[in-house]
Amino acid sequence: MLKGLRRIALGMVLCFFVLSLGLVYWQVVQNNVMLKNPANPRLALMERRIKRGGIFDRNGVVLAESKVESGKSVRVYPNGGVYEPLLGYATLQHGQAGLEDALSGWLLGMKNPTLSQELKQFFQVPRQGDDVVLTLDAKIQQAAYDGLQGKKGAAVAVDPRTGQILALASQPSFDPNSLDKNWKEISRPGSTDLLNNALSLFTPGSVMKLVTSKALFSGGIDTSKLFDDKGTTVINGQVIPDENTSGNGWINYNLALAYSSNVYFATQTVKAGQDNFLAAAKAYGFGQTIPFPLPVPDSQITNKAAVPTHLSINQLAASAFGQGQVLVTPLHMALITAAVADHGVMMRPYLVDRVLDSRQNVLYKAQPKPWLTPLSPADAGKITTAMVTTVNQGTAAAVALPNVQVAAKTGSAQPGGNVTTNAWFVAFAPADNPQIAVAVLVEHGGAGGVASAPIAKAMIKVALAENL
């Protein structure tokens, strides 16, 4: 009988042990998952007890704030859909998303809490979360949003000197003030209202030539030597056409970028070799996770491996001008452009400038840091010169501004299927002292110099208003 009792006691101990492990797992390891689950009553209690901090642009413009209406705390977004889906939402019914989710530790005063916040949390008394000041510029964001209205696409602006994200717009978007009311419509099957296009992968087309340029330099291609572009060429049985199929005549690297010659870049990249091309892609951050508060898929050269060890000649030729299986996000394309602008240094991108407690004491202040160095200053200078030529006598003439020299590159990417090309445009200005770099994508917009250039131009004009 004692033996039986021992077994029962041992079984009870084991059950208690397993139960304890489960509690530890859900309360500690999966604490954030449980907390963010809209079905968790603890979340409702916390949101009622903690006044979520505000979110502001770099100049103090309110982007999100909590107000008490009819005795209830309501999250208010004064700008409607201008910052969506980047800002996201925070509701008891549908949980959190976007920056409201990623920054909830600060906004609820739970990340590095002050002594006062810890005491209020312990005694479960009402308290104030922290305010978050973003790097976004409301005027540049508005210009991006207005330009994208009625289209599908994205526009990103970054300060190449620091990595500060000045604008990150995506269309379509939604009004977070009526999220609960319109949830069925917003989240309907096939809807992309909740999808952030700035953080999604697209075929880059000719804007990829900024990356390919490094491969040509590393491969010893004489970029001053003239090349006869007849409009099409055949590489290993594959026909490579220019948009101008009648040909661009005798061109060097500068004019090849300015006229966006696929023939030149495909031919010269094959000569430079796959190793130099793949090394260039890796140097620019392909296959690497971009450090950012929101998830960003890795840019890729092929579907099987983001940066493979081998490419066929046909893959190499197509990848050289951003076709084949090459995919990149608008955010990454803005960083690539910014690296050219910043003499070859790609700064770590960031959105949070500082965090303030309820008394406006600074709890956190961001410090600019380099992320990658894909180019030497000399090579960055070569690309800049070619991008200036692209504006002054090439495909990017639409972005030209009085009194300010802009450097830019267009792109028209074939996403596959019988559809209109995606329109890309990347630029930075002023060319000799860059303060802003932009990347604009309009899905199925056609030519980048037509559909996307005006949006980029508007963003640059707002950023450099004092210079114009």
Side-chain angles (χ1 to χ4, degrees), residues 84-169:
E84 298 301 341
L86 174 63
L87 277 186
Y89 51 83
T91 76
L92 294 177
Q93 186 174 346
H94 295 103
Q96 305 165 13
L99 290 180
E100 289 277 30
D101 179 20
L103 304 178
S104 61
W106 287 119
L107 295 169
L108 295 173
M110 298 177 65
K111 185 173 182 178
N112 301 336
T114 62
L115 178 59
S116 173
Q117 287 174 328
E118 286 184 330
L119 289 173
K120 289 180 179 179
Q121 171 70 7
F122 180 79
F123 290 107
Q124 298 187 2
V125 297
R127 60 189 177 88
Q128 173 72 46
D130 301 318
D131 292 334
V132 177
V133 180
L134 301 179
T135 59
L136 296 176
D137 185 303
K139 293 181 179 179
I140 303 175
Q141 179 77 18
Q142 187 71 54
Y145 178 80
D146 290 344
L148 287 170
Q149 282 281 53
K151 306 176 178 69
K152 289 185 177 181
V156 181
V158 59
D159 186 332
R161 303 163 297 183
T162 62
Q164 293 180 337
I165 301 300
L166 304 176
L168 199 151

Side-chain angles (χ1 to χ4, degrees), residues 217 343-344 375-385:
F217 304 154
H343 311 291
L375 294 165
S376 68
D379 286 348
K382 291 179 184 177
I383 300 175
T384 297
T385 299

Side-chain angles (χ1 to χ4, degrees), residues 234-255:
V234 178
I235 297 177
N236 197 35
Q238 178 182 9
V239 178
I240 305 292
D242 283 335
E243 186 171 345
N244 175 18
T245 53
S246 61
N248 295 302
W250 290 96
I251 55 175
N252 58 10
Y253 164 76
N254 260 31
L255 293 176

Side-chain angles (χ1 to χ4, degrees), residues 47-48 50-56 62-79 90 100 128 177:
E47 290 283 359
R48 291 192 183 103
I50 302 172
K51 184 179 180 183
R52 183 177 277 257
I55 303 177
F56 304 86
V62 178
L63 308 185
E65 62 182 338
S66 293
K67 293 184 176 180
V68 178
E69 298 178 0
S70 303
K72 295 182 179 180
S73 180
V74 178
R75 198 65 169 165
V76 177
Y77 302 88
N79 305 283
E100 289 277 30
Q128 173 72 46
N177 295 299

Side-chain angles (χ1 to χ4, degrees), residues 58 135-137 140-141 144 155-169 290 292 330-342 345-351 368-369 426-430 433-440 459-460 463-464:
R58 64 193 299 114
T135 59
L136 296 176
D137 185 303
I140 303 175
Q141 179 77 18
V156 181
V158 59
D159 186 332
R161 303 163 297 183
T162 62
Q164 293 180 337
I165 301 300
L166 304 176
L168 199 151
I290 296 175
F292 203 64
L331 171 63
H332 193 184
M333 206 62 238
L335 296 178
I336 289 169
T337 308
V340 177
D342 195 34
V345 178
M346 186 183 293
M347 299 298 288
R348 182 183 295 265
Y350 65 98
L351 265 169
K369 297 178 182 177
V426 298
F428 60 86
N433 182 28
Q435 299 170 37
I436 181 173
V438 301
V440 178
M459 295 166 70
I460 293 171
L464 304 181

Side-chain angles (χ1 to χ4, degrees), residues 74-415:
V74 178
R75 198 65 169 165
V76 177
Y77 302 88
N79 305 283
V82 175
Y83 294 86
E84 298 301 341
L86 174 63
L87 277 186
Y89 51 83
T91 76
L92 294 177
Q93 186 174 346
H94 295 103
Q96 305 165 13
L99 290 180
E100 289 277 30
D101 179 20
L103 304 178
S104 61
W106 287 119
L107 295 169
L108 295 173
M110 298 177 65
K111 185 173 182 178
N112 301 336
T114 62
L115 178 59
S116 173
Q117 287 174 328
E118 286 184 330
L119 289 173
K120 289 180 179 179
Q121 171 70 7
F122 180 79
F123 290 107
Q124 298 187 2
V125 297
R127 60 189 177 88
Q128 173 72 46
D130 301 318
D131 292 334
V132 177
V133 180
L134 301 179
T135 59
L136 296 176
D137 185 303
K139 293 181 179 179
I140 303 175
Q141 179 77 18
Q142 187 71 54
Y145 178 80
D146 290 344
L148 287 170
Q149 282 281 53
K151 306 176 178 69
K152 289 185 177 181
V156 181
V158 59
D159 186 332
R161 303 163 297 183
T162 62
Q164 293 180 337
I165 301 300
L166 304 176
L168 199 151
S170 176
Q171 280 291 323
S173 63
F174 60 91
D175 186 350
N177 295 299
S178 56
L179 181 83
D180 289 342
K181 179 182 177 181
N182 299 324
W183 179 256
K184 285 187 178 181
E185 173 64 18
I186 293 170
S187 62
R188 69 191 183 281
S191 170
T192 57
D193 293 1
L194 298 171
L195 176 67
N196 195 329
N197 281 321
L199 310 181
S200 300
L201 292 169
F202 298 92
T203 303
S206 288
V207 292
M208 183 66 180
K209 291 168 184 172
L210 301 189
V211 176
T212 307
S213 294
K214 175 181 171 62
L216 303 189
F217 304 154
S218 301
I221 300 298
D222 184 351
T223 54
S224 65
K225 186 177 180 180
L226 292 178
F227 173 93
D228 188 10
D229 177 3
K230 296 180 180 179
T232 60
T233 190
V234 178
I235 297 177
N236 197 35
Q238 178 182 9
V239 178
I240 305 292
D242 283 335
E243 186 171 345
N244 175 18
T245 53
S246 61
N248 295 302
W250 290 96
I251 55 175
N252 58 10
Y253 164 76
N254 260 31
L255 293 176
L257 194 76
Y259 301 154
S260 202
S261 169
N262 296 336
V263 171
Y264 177 92
F265 276 89
T267 303
Q268 302 292 46
T269 301
V270 169
K271 287 182 180 179
Q274 66 165 359
D275 291 345
N276 284 309
F277 177 77
L278 294 174
K282 188 173 182 180
Y284 271 104
F286 278 71
Q288 300 184 57
T289 300
I290 296 175
F292 203 64
L294 296 175
V296 184
D298 297 351
S299 296
Q300 67 172 56
I301 300 300
T302 68
N303 296 331
K304 289 186 177 180
V307 182
T309 56
H310 175 74
L311 287 173
S312 69
I313 293 177
N314 296 89
Q315 284 179 314
L316 179 59
S319 300
F321 55 98
Q323 291 294 157
Q325 297 174 8
V326 180
L327 295 173
V328 65
T329 63
L331 171 63
H332 193 184
M333 206 62 238
L335 296 178
I336 289 169
T337 308
V340 177
D342 195 34
H343 311 291
V345 178
M346 186 183 293
M347 299 298 288
R348 182 183 295 265
Y350 65 98
L351 265 169
V352 177
D353 179 68
R354 59 191 182 276
V355 178
L356 310 172
D357 67 14
S358 58
R359 296 183 179 181
Q360 299 302 285
N361 296 311
V362 178
L363 302 178
Y364 167 81
K365 179 73 174 97
Q367 298 297 327
K369 297 178 182 177
W371 180 38
L372 301 171
T373 307
L375 294 165
S376 68
D379 286 348
K382 291 179 184 177
I383 300 175
T384 297
T385 299
M387 291 176 71
V388 167
T389 304
T390 307
V391 174
N392 293 343
Q393 61 185 90
T395 59
V399 81
L401 288 169
N403 305 320
V404 172
Q405 179 63 64
V406 181
K409 180 70 191 82
T410 59
S412 300
Q414 296 176 344

